Amino acid sequence: MESAPCPTTPRWNVDRPFLTGRFHQEIRPSSNTQTAGGVKGIASDSFRNRGSQNSVGYYHNSVQELLVIEDLLSAMVGIEGRYISIKRVRGKDCQVAFQVDASMDLALQEMAKRIFPLCENFLAISQFVELRSQFKNGLVNHAFAAALRALLLDYQAMVAQLEHQFRLGRLSIQGLWFFCQPMMGSMHALSIVIEKASANDLSGSAVLNLLQSQAKAMAGDNAVRSLLEKMTQCASGAYLRILERWVYEGVIDDPSGEFFIAENKLLQKESLTQDYDAKFWQQRYSLKDGIPSFLTSAAGTILTTGKYLNVMRECGRNVQVPISENSKLTSFGSNHHYLECIKAAYDFASGELLNLIKEKYDLMGKLRSLKRYLLLDQGDFLVHFMDIARDELLKRPDDISVEKLQSLLDLALRTTAAVADPCHEKLTCCVERSSLLNRLGTLSDLEYGMKNLLSTPEVQKPVSDGNDQTEPVSVTGLETFSLSYKVQWPLSLVISRKALTKYQLIFRFLFHCKHVNRQLCGAWQVHQVCGVRAFNKLGTTISRSSVLCRSMLKFINSLLHYLTFEVLEPNWHVMHNRLLTAKSIDEVIQHHDFFLKKCLKECLLLLPQLLKKVEKLKSICLQYAAAIQWLIPSLYIPKPETVESSSRLEKSKPRRSRHRIQELNLSPENTSVSDSVMKFEKEFNTELQSLRPILSSSSQAEPYLTHLAQCILGIGNDYIGY
């Protein structure tokens, strides 16, 4: 038999070493086909016109083979033949089945049915390519369809070569089956992919993940696995171009919404300075479901890189990551070079943004300014402000003029050392409408923290329980006054409304403690002016009051010392050192938020039961100071010459104390003064001692309270012997 050249196989198939010999078989003698020398090299053209109305079983087996090969070659490109028809599967509009004439030789039917799956897969892939090439299906589907179209062109070229061999009489049905086998696995694998993609209407990263999972599932068939990997590379080209713009420019160029990063344009950067629960930084750009599996490990880095570039673009700086020929994200592979490119882009964007915020916008300077004013690191301006704004702050919150307070604050800043601070003009004042306790109860995230910080059952009660939501009638501007700070973008990423609110909570607590201290100092001065130092005899009303005043001052000073030197100052230095070594703006935000959370916790603001006790003690101190500053001057009736020489009375000798005792009006009013002092003493002692079990139990879980307990719980010893 004469050998024949092999038809060129598609590039994605394995080459075969040979083709069947020249097909030649004489037809059995019959009345209308017999010749003397037989028929040699018969082609199907001989039978097109003759007997066209007969079924295929009418012909001899050799003729049937020619007819079925011709129909199979048509079926392989989706065209019906004379004896092979295409029927739609009932209930599945997109699925078809090939049927052969039942009168055909059974052996030929079996061979034809082996090739039918290839024909069905071709039709399914062709239909998928046509449908998924539409604009609405997205860029990944477009790229996948283009790759499939190129493969089908290669496939059709091979079918054309097989048909050419058939026309030359060199192709038998066994030879056709032989050449179809290498294509069967590939076409079947692709048909599975498109069936799943069509059934679930997949697009974008879901298509890429499907291709990758199918490639891994075909690990035992190198040819099919290589084909699926090539399809994945082709389909991911458009996706990688979207990724490249995001990590190199901070821009989402995704018209079909296929990228795994979503942009919420409703969230604006201005919300950072206005809304306590602003989600701009967390949700303006966020990860969606369906991240490509080859990018899963780097998804967070990719998201952050684009966010950093976007921040700089919002600041008016068009920063772009330097791109070299080797850094283009054109493909992904086992060498993970694309991951190195993403990491390099992240390092560049992170460093540029951090330098921008630290150098141009002076982040550390702004934080030091917040420490100076809202954490009372510089107190001279506050003393002056409290002196000149006292009358306004004594009003109810609704009656206070914020504009007047602002002008007084500006005056205090301009007349003290604060004028040297270039950031002092960003300081503003505000008056809250609720007390500190109720304000803490309205902040959901802090209330959650307060409910879970303490482990002892008796202190696991939120601040806002019961009737605490109702504001006391006596609330004044001294309890609700606070400072604020003007923060601009991009510093609002770090000093957000939430962060500034936490600064204000600490400021309000410190400010009120300062107010209590000033009132007690005023009461102490009343004792000094009235000559309390001369009364060394224990048991007298004024001496007892003097000791109580000193104990209250010790309490409030110990509390202020703890808050400033034991909590704020050391935590500030820890945060400052961490910020100097931070590598990204996210680390800066994390360190700053941790500093504020730790300060709130250690300043007792997240310990509700303990905070209530402290507030009660401060209230007793204020009531006592107000009573003493009114009662003692009303009992002391000095002679005219005594008033004129009040400064000399301060330096008088102990021998003159008897004369001063005689100057006291020993009327029955002394009894009411004594009762008042004893009442304040009892209340103060009771509340102070009630701190002991709370501090003792809390200090086991919160060691920082140990020092506070040592400072405060020793105050009650001053009353032994009274």
Side-chain angles (χ1 to χ4, degrees):
M1 232 179 236
E2 181 180 336
S3 64
C6 173
T8 304
T9 59
R11 293 186 297 272
W12 42 274
N13 282 325
V14 181
D15 292 336
R16 295 297 180 178
F18 63 92
L19 180 68
T20 55
R22 182 182 181 87
F23 176 72
H24 174 74
Q25 182 176 356
E26 293 186 3
I27 302 176
R28 292 181 181 180
S30 62
S31 59
N32 56 351
T33 61
Q34 186 175 2
T35 60
V39 179
K40 192 174 184 179
I42 299 176
S44 62
D45 292 338
S46 308
F47 302 93
R48 284 196 183 276
N49 298 320
R50 184 172 49 185
S52 59
Q53 300 299 323
N54 297 328
S55 63
V56 69
Y58 174 81
Y59 303 106
H60 190 271
N61 286 352
S62 58
V63 178
Q64 291 185 38
E65 182 176 4
L66 296 174
L67 296 175
V68 75
I69 290 175
E70 183 179 36
D71 279 7
L72 281 173
L73 290 173
S74 298
M76 288 174 67
V77 292
I79 302 174
E80 284 187 322
R82 295 170 61 190
Y83 304 107
I84 296 178
S85 59
I86 302 176
K87 304 292 183 181
R88 291 199 176 274
V89 178
R90 180 175 299 179
K92 298 181 180 180
D93 294 338
C94 297
Q95 189 172 347
V96 297
F98 285 82
Q99 294 181 351
V100 68
D101 192 327
S103 64
M104 185 180 295
D105 181 73
L106 293 179
L108 294 176
Q109 287 189 45
E110 184 63 27
M111 293 296 296
K113 290 178 181 179
R114 291 183 185 181
I115 301 174
F116 283 168
L118 180 64
C119 306
E120 295 168 359
N121 292 335
F122 172 82
L123 277 180
I125 295 173
S126 299
Q127 185 178 13
F128 179 85
V129 168
E130 182 179 354
L131 293 176
R132 292 306 170 111
S133 297
Q134 299 175 9
F135 176 79
K136 65 179 182 179
N137 292 302
L139 298 178
V140 173
N141 274 324
H142 293 175
F144 183 35
L148 289 174
R149 187 180 291 108
L151 182 141
L152 291 181
L153 288 175
D154 204 13
Y155 167 86
Q156 289 170 334
M158 184 174 185
V159 173
Q161 293 179 18
L162 289 173
E163 185 177 8
H164 177 67
Q165 294 296 319
F166 173 68
R167 296 301 177 192
L168 296 177
R170 299 175 180 176
L171 186 66
S172 66
I173 193 166
Q174 290 83 2
L176 179 61
W177 166 241
F178 176 81
F179 283 109
C180 286
Q181 288 185 66
M183 299 180 282
M184 298 288 288
S186 300
M187 296 293 280
H188 178 66
L190 288 175
S191 68
I192 293 176
V193 171
I194 64 172
E195 181 181 358
K196 292 181 178 180
S198 300
N200 299 299
D201 195 22
L202 301 182
S203 62
S205 58
V207 174
L208 300 179
N209 288 336
L210 176 61
L211 284 167
Q212 279 201 304
S213 63
Q214 288 299 119
K216 292 178 181 178
M218 302 302 296
D221 191 331
N222 290 332
V224 176
R225 188 189 72 251
S226 299
L227 173 64
L228 292 175
E229 288 177 350
K230 182 178 180 181
M231 288 291 163
T232 308
Q233 292 285 355
C234 294
S236 65
Y239 201 88
L240 290 176
R241 285 192 290 273
I242 300 174
L243 173 64
E244 189 175 72
R245 285 211 68 187
W246 172 251
V247 298
Y248 288 160
E249 301 177 35
V251 176
I252 295 182
D253 185 11
D254 183 21
S256 304
E258 299 173 283
F259 197 40
F260 66 89
I261 294 177
E263 179 181 8
N264 187 353
K265 295 184 178 180
L266 296 177
L267 296 176
Q268 300 297 320
K269 61 179 183 291
E270 290 77 15
S271 64
L272 288 170
T273 59
Q274 300 168 0
D275 185 6
Y276 179 85
D277 294 316
K279 303 297 183 182
F280 176 85
W281 187 241
Q282 295 81 9
Q283 297 182 6
R284 174 60 187 267
Y285 296 101
S286 58
L287 296 176
K288 297 192 297 188
D289 295 334
I291 301 172
S293 56
F294 62 91
L295 294 175
T296 301
S297 61
T301 303
I302 293 169
L303 172 65
T304 306
T305 302
K307 286 169 65 176
Y308 290 169
L309 293 171
N310 189 268
V311 170
M312 288 185 281
R313 200 173 72 251
E314 292 270 3
C315 295
R317 295 189 59 182
N318 293 322
V319 178
Q320 184 172 348
V321 178
I323 304 177
S324 63
E325 198 62 33
N326 294 330
S327 62
K328 291 185 177 181
L329 300 175
T330 56
S331 63
F332 65 93
S334 57
N335 59 358
H336 301 298
H337 175 67
Y338 65 99
L339 295 178
E340 297 175 3
C341 297
I342 293 171
K343 183 62 168 62
Y346 168 80
D347 292 339
F348 174 83
S350 177
E352 286 291 313
L353 179 58
L354 199 57
N355 289 335
L356 177 69
I357 290 182
K358 283 187 175 181
E359 301 300 330
K360 181 178 179 179
Y361 293 95
D362 190 21
L363 172 65
M364 300 307 299
K366 301 301 186 296
L367 292 177
R368 280 191 291 268
S369 183
L370 284 170
K371 177 175 181 280
R372 183 177 297 116
Y373 300 120
L374 272 77
L375 302 185
L376 303 188
D377 187 48
Q378 180 178 330
D380 57 340
F381 88 95
L382 186 67
V383 174
H384 186 33
F385 173 74
M386 294 179 78
D387 287 337
I388 61 179
R390 181 177 181 275
D391 293 339
E392 194 69 24
L393 291 173
L394 286 174
K395 298 178 181 178
R396 290 178 54 81
D398 294 335
D399 300 330
I400 294 176
S401 172
V402 179
E403 293 77 12
K404 185 176 181 180
L405 282 181
Q406 184 64 49
S407 63
L408 294 174
L409 177 64
D410 294 338
L411 178 62
L413 291 172
R414 289 195 300 268
T415 56
T416 58
V419 72
D421 180 14
C423 299
H424 78 273
E425 295 181 353
K426 297 183 179 294
L427 200 64
T428 61
C429 62
C430 59
V431 178
E432 300 285 350
R433 291 293 179 266
S434 60
S435 65
L436 179 63
L437 288 171
N438 282 359
R439 177 59 175 152
L440 285 167
T442 60
L443 303 177
S444 58
D445 59 327
L446 295 184
E447 185 176 354
Y448 176 80
M450 288 187 287
K451 289 180 179 178
N452 293 279
L453 276 172
L454 297 180
S455 57
T456 54
E458 64 271 14
V459 295
Q460 288 184 350
K461 297 179 182 179
V463 166
S464 57
D465 283 352
N467 298 324
D468 289 344
Q469 294 290 355
T470 304
E471 293 294 345
V473 179
S474 59
V475 170
T476 65
L478 292 165
E479 287 82 24
T480 59
F481 173 77
S482 181
L483 293 178
S484 188
Y485 197 83
K486 297 177 183 177
V487 183
Q488 296 179 343
W489 173 267
L491 292 179
S492 54
L493 289 172
V494 182
I495 312 172
S496 62
R497 177 72 261 171
K498 177 177 284 189
L500 195 56
T501 299
K502 294 176 181 179
Y503 274 109
Q504 290 175 324
L505 292 172
I506 298 172
F507 171 82
R508 290 179 63 182
F509 191 48
L510 291 173
F511 181 80
H512 195 253
C513 288
K514 288 283 187 180
H515 166 62
V516 175
N517 179 268
R518 284 168 59 86
Q519 293 301 104
L520 289 174
C521 287
W524 177 255
Q525 289 175 358
V526 169
H527 287 83
Q528 299 307 300
V529 171
C530 294
V532 178
R533 290 181 180 177
F535 299 130
N536 295 322
K537 186 179 179 181
L538 298 177
T540 65
T541 300
I542 296 180
S543 296
R544 194 179 192 95
S545 176
S546 176
V547 174
L548 176 59
C549 185
R550 187 169 62 248
S551 298
M552 288 181 173
L553 276 170
K554 181 181 177 183
F555 161 74
I556 198 67
N557 287 332
S558 298
L559 180 60
L560 281 169
H561 175 85
Y562 165 78
L563 294 174
T564 53
F565 294 103
E566 300 290 337
V567 176
L568 298 177
E569 197 64 29
N571 284 326
W572 166 265
H573 285 293
V574 171
M575 179 194 70
H576 182 267
N577 293 334
R578 288 176 176 174
L579 294 186
L580 293 178
T581 58
K583 302 297 183 183
S584 69
I585 191 64
D586 278 304
E587 288 187 22
V588 170
I589 295 173
Q590 179 183 355
H591 294 325
H592 185 242
D593 288 346
F594 180 78
F595 160 74
L596 289 174
K597 181 179 179 181
K598 199 166 188 290
C599 287
L600 282 171
K601 182 179 177 183
E602 296 183 5
C603 284
L604 316 181
L605 296 177
L606 301 185
L607 307 178
Q609 201 73 0
L610 189 55
L611 181 60
K612 288 181 180 180
K613 290 293 183 182
V614 173
E615 290 296 311
K616 179 64 175 176
L617 283 167
K618 289 196 298 177
S619 176
I620 295 173
C621 291
L622 286 175
Q623 294 174 27
Y624 165 79
I628 290 301
Q629 292 183 53
W630 179 80
L631 286 173
I632 291 183
S634 69
L635 294 176
Y636 183 66
I637 307 176
K639 297 179 180 180
E641 60 270 18
T642 307
V643 177
E644 295 175 0
S645 59
S646 59
S647 60
R648 286 177 291 174
L649 288 175
E650 187 69 17
K651 302 178 181 178
S652 60
K653 302 291 184 177
R655 59 185 173 82
R656 302 177 58 186
S657 61
R658 182 177 302 175
H659 173 67
R660 293 185 174 222
I661 295 174
Q662 294 174 354
E663 292 177 346
L664 292 175
N665 181 9
L666 301 177
S667 65
E669 294 180 1
N670 274 332
T671 304
S672 63
V673 175
S674 177
D675 292 343
S676 297
V677 171
M678 292 184 66
K679 175 186 175 184
F680 285 122
E681 178 184 341
K682 182 179 179 181
E683 289 183 4
F684 182 73
N685 263 334
T686 302
E687 289 297 328
L688 193 63
Q689 293 306 317
S690 67
L691 279 177
R692 185 182 298 276
I694 299 177
L695 285 174
S696 299
S697 59
S698 302
S699 60
Q700 297 176 2
E702 313 294 345
Y704 56 85
L705 294 176
T706 304
H707 183 69
L708 178 63
Q710 293 172 351
C711 294
I712 292 180
L713 295 180
I715 297 174
N717 297 331
D718 293 337
Y719 301 102
I720 298 175
Y722 283 93

